[in-house]
Amino acid sequence: MSGKNSKVLIVGGGAAGMMAAVTAARVGSRVQLFERNDRLGKKLFITGKGRCNITNAADTEDLFRSVVTNPKFLYSGFYTFSNAQTVEFFEELGVKTKVERGGRVFPLSDHSSDVIQALAREMKNLGVVVSLNSEVKELIEEDGRTTGLRLTDGREITGDSVIVATGGISYPSTGSTGDGYRFARETGHKVTELLPSLVPMEVKEPYAGELMGLSLRNIRIQVTDGKKRLYEEFGEMLFTHYGVTGPVILSASSVVGKRLKEHDLTLHIDLKPALDEEQLDKRVLREFEANHNRLFRNSVDSLFPAKLRPVMVSLSGIPDDKKVNEITREERLNFVGLIKDFKMTLTGLRGYSEAIITKGGVSVKDIDPGTMESKKMPGLYFAGEVLDLDALTGGYNLQIAWSTGYLAGMSAGTVG
C-alpha cells in the first residue's frame, strides 16, 4: 500500500521524529517535520555523553527484559524494527558502528553528530520538508479526526495524519517542554504520572559530600524497601555532593523512582562482590597481620580508595587510633560486614534537568501497538519518549524511539 498522495506532519525532530519522517517518505508520502529548536536532534546530540548509544546488541528477549514500563506493548515495535535492523539502517546511511561493553552500540567515530547528520541527509534526499524554529501550538481536529496543526505564529498546516514525537520533559535545555503531553490531553488521551528517570539520586548521609567525585567500579548494589529487594545490579557508580549517580544508580532510579517518591529507601553497596564474607575476612586478616603494630586508620590503605578510607574507618565503630593487634574478632567481622553492605539512605530523585528520560507519558492503552495510531483519534500517532515507555540505560530507550518512530512513519505513510 502506498501513501503517494498522503501528507504526513511530524511534530518533533528528535530520534523518533526523524525515523518516522524517513520511513513515511520512503513509502511515498509527502512529509513535513516541525522542530521548535534551531537544529535537529538536540537531545540526541548529548546522548551517551555525546557519543550516542544508538541501541543495544542484546537478543530480543533481553531487549524486552530491559524495558521497565509496558514491555509487552513493544512486541510489534521490536519485531517489526529490531535492534539488528537499526544497526543495518545506520550502516546503510554511512554510519559505521561498534559494540562495546554491555552490548552498547555506538558510532565507530564516537560522534553523535554523525547519527544526526545521516538522518538529516536521508530526509533531504527523500524530499522531507524540515521546518526549524517552528513551534506547534495545537493540533487541528475535524469530524473527530486530526487534520493538521496550528503553529505559534498563527500558520495552519493541513495534512492526512500527524505524528507527535515531542519527547518528554527531561533535559529541558534541549527544548523538551512536555508539549506532547498537552496535545495528548487536549485530544482526550490519558497521560500517566510523570517522573524524572535514569536520574541521579539524593542521599541523607552527610559523608556523601566527602566522597564527591569518587568512582567505584565492579561493585554490586541493591535497593531495598524494608525487607523487600527492589533492584540489584553489578557495575559502576559515582558519588556526588548530593548523593549518587553512575550507570547502576541511573538504572535503579527507573525501577525504584515511584517508591522513592513515597518514602526513603536503602541503598546497599557491596564493595567486594567477588569475595564472600569468609574470603573477605581472610583478606582483612592478612591486611591486619601485615600491619599489626599500626593504628587501625593506617592499616586499610590497600582495601579502599583514598577518599573512602576515613568514611569506612569512621563507620566501622572501631576507634581509629586503636592498634590493629588490639582489634577483636567481633570488631573485625563487623568491619567485614560493613564492606559487604555499605548502606546509604536514598531520599529522592534529582530533577528533570539531570534526567536522561521521562518516566510516564501517553497511556499505551490509548495507542494501537501495531501502528502507533491513537485509538481515540484517527490520523493521530505518537512515537518515542512521549509515550509511557521507558527502559534501563544501555541504548534501550533509543531503540524504543527507533522502533516506535518506524511503526508510526510506516503506518501514517501508507494511509491514503
Side-chain angles (χ1 to χ4, degrees):
M1 191 159 142
S2 164
K4 282 207 185 304
N5 300 317
S6 71
K7 185 174 184 186
V8 179
L9 308 177
I10 298 174
V11 189
M18 289 192 282
M19 177 60 80
V22 168
T23 309
R26 281 181 175 181
V27 293
S29 283
R30 291 173 295 135
V31 180
Q32 186 167 2
L33 181 148
F34 300 86
E35 169 54 55
R36 62 182 294 155
N37 286 310
D38 58 1
R39 62 183 187 272
L40 295 165
K42 213 168 172 187
K43 185 175 174 189
L44 197 54
F45 185 73
I46 59 172
T47 59
K49 294 179 181 169
R51 296 171 60 218
C52 193
N53 184 185
I54 300 170
T55 186
N56 194 290
D59 62 42
T60 310
E61 285 311 304
D62 276 340
L63 272 189
F64 286 113
R65 273 194 288 272
S66 300
V67 177
V68 177
T69 308
N70 297 317
K72 287 179 182 168
F73 177 82
L74 285 161
Y75 193 85
S76 286
F78 281 173
Y79 279 104
T80 306
F81 194 75
S82 67
N83 49 351
Q85 284 164 286
T86 297
V87 172
E88 194 179 317
F89 172 86
F90 281 107
E91 294 266 354
E92 283 173 3
L93 294 187
V95 180
K96 298 286 177 222
T97 61
K98 59 181 174 180
V99 181
E100 295 189 1
R101 189 170 49 86
R104 289 168 161 83
V105 179
F106 289 94
L108 192 59
S109 65
D110 281 332
H111 294 309
S112 56
S113 53
D114 288 357
V115 175
I116 299 162
Q117 283 163 11
L119 287 162
R121 216 169 30 241
E122 183 66 358
M123 287 193 291
K124 190 177 180 182
N125 292 343
L126 292 162
V128 173
V129 177
V130 174
S131 302
L132 298 174
N133 299 304
S134 299
E135 188 176 342
V136 175
K137 184 183 177 187
E138 59 192 336
L139 307 183
I140 300 171
E141 305 166 44
E142 209 171 285
D143 300 327
R145 184 181 176 88
T146 307
T147 58
L149 42 85
R150 189 174 288 111
L151 302 179
T152 51
D153 63 10
R155 280 183 298 152
E156 289 189 6
I157 316 289
T158 57
D160 298 291
S161 53
V162 174
I163 299 174
V164 174
T166 48
I169 43 178
S170 55
Y171 289 139
S173 61
T174 62
S176 306
T177 55
D179 287 347
Y181 305 132
R182 180 168 56 79
F183 300 151
R185 289 190 188 101
E186 287 169 356
T187 48
H189 299 80
K190 184 188 175 195
V191 175
T192 62
E193 182 189 8
L194 303 173
L195 280 173
S197 195
L198 298 184
V199 65
M201 292 190 273
E202 298 179 344
V203 302
K204 183 185 286 182
E205 288 74 14
Y207 53 75
E210 296 171 39
L211 300 172
M212 185 173 73
L214 172 65
S215 178
L216 297 178
R217 288 169 185 246
N218 304 320
I219 47 94
R220 181 171 291 281
I221 68 155
Q222 275 189 33
V223 179
T224 60
D225 183 359
K227 290 185 178 173
K228 186 175 173 63
R229 186 172 68 199
L230 304 177
Y231 185 80
E232 183 173 1
E233 185 61 87
F234 176 87
E236 60 184 273
M237 62 173 287
L238 175 74
F239 292 97
T240 66
H241 65 285
Y242 54 77
V244 286
T245 186
V248 295
I249 298 295
L250 297 179
S251 283
S253 76
S254 68
V255 176
V256 308
K258 282 188 179 174
R259 192 79 65 102
L260 189 54
K261 202 176 170 193
E262 295 164 13
H263 52 252
D264 293 355
L265 301 173
T266 306
L267 171 65
H268 306 258
I269 307 168
D270 182 347
L271 296 165
K272 305 284 182 187
L275 306 175
D276 62 26
E277 293 223 0
E278 192 179 332
Q279 292 166 323
L280 181 57
D281 185 39
K282 286 177 181 168
R283 166 87 197 275
V284 170
L285 202 50
R286 280 200 305 275
E287 213 59 42
F288 282 2
E289 283 167 356
N291 294 281
H292 68 282
N293 282 324
R294 301 182 79 178
L295 301 179
F296 173 53
R297 64 171 175 259
N298 299 327
S299 69
V300 295
D301 287 12
S302 68
L303 288 171
F304 314 109
K307 271 192 176 177
L308 190 54
R309 287 171 207 152
V311 173
M312 296 301 286
V313 167
S314 170
L315 293 175
S316 72
I318 303 169
D320 67 350
D321 57 354
K322 191 169 191 174
K323 281 204 165 178
V324 170
N325 57 23
E326 293 170 0
I327 292 173
T328 66
R329 180 174 181 273
E330 187 183 359
E331 284 175 325
R332 189 186 76 240
L333 290 177
N334 284 342
F335 184 51
V336 167
L338 171 67
I339 299 169
K340 292 294 286 178
D341 187 11
F342 173 35
K343 295 186 188 74
M344 299 185 98
T345 310
L346 298 171
T347 58
L349 302 172
R350 297 293 280 178
Y352 285 108
S353 61
E354 294 174 54
I356 295 173
I357 58 162
T358 307
K359 190 180 197 67
V362 179
S363 172
V364 297
K365 290 176 183 169
D366 292 345
I367 308 298
D368 181 332
T371 63
M372 295 296 131
E373 187 172 17
S374 162
K375 293 177 181 177
K376 293 178 174 280
M377 173 102 22
L380 178 59
Y381 299 76
F382 291 90
E385 197 184 334
V386 72
L387 289 161
D388 184 17
L389 301 166
D390 64 273
L392 304 175
T393 55
Y396 304 106
N397 288 287
L398 264 183
Q399 185 57 49
I400 292 173
W402 306 132
S403 294
T404 57
Y406 179 88
L407 275 185
M410 180 63 69
S411 309
T414 49
V415 172

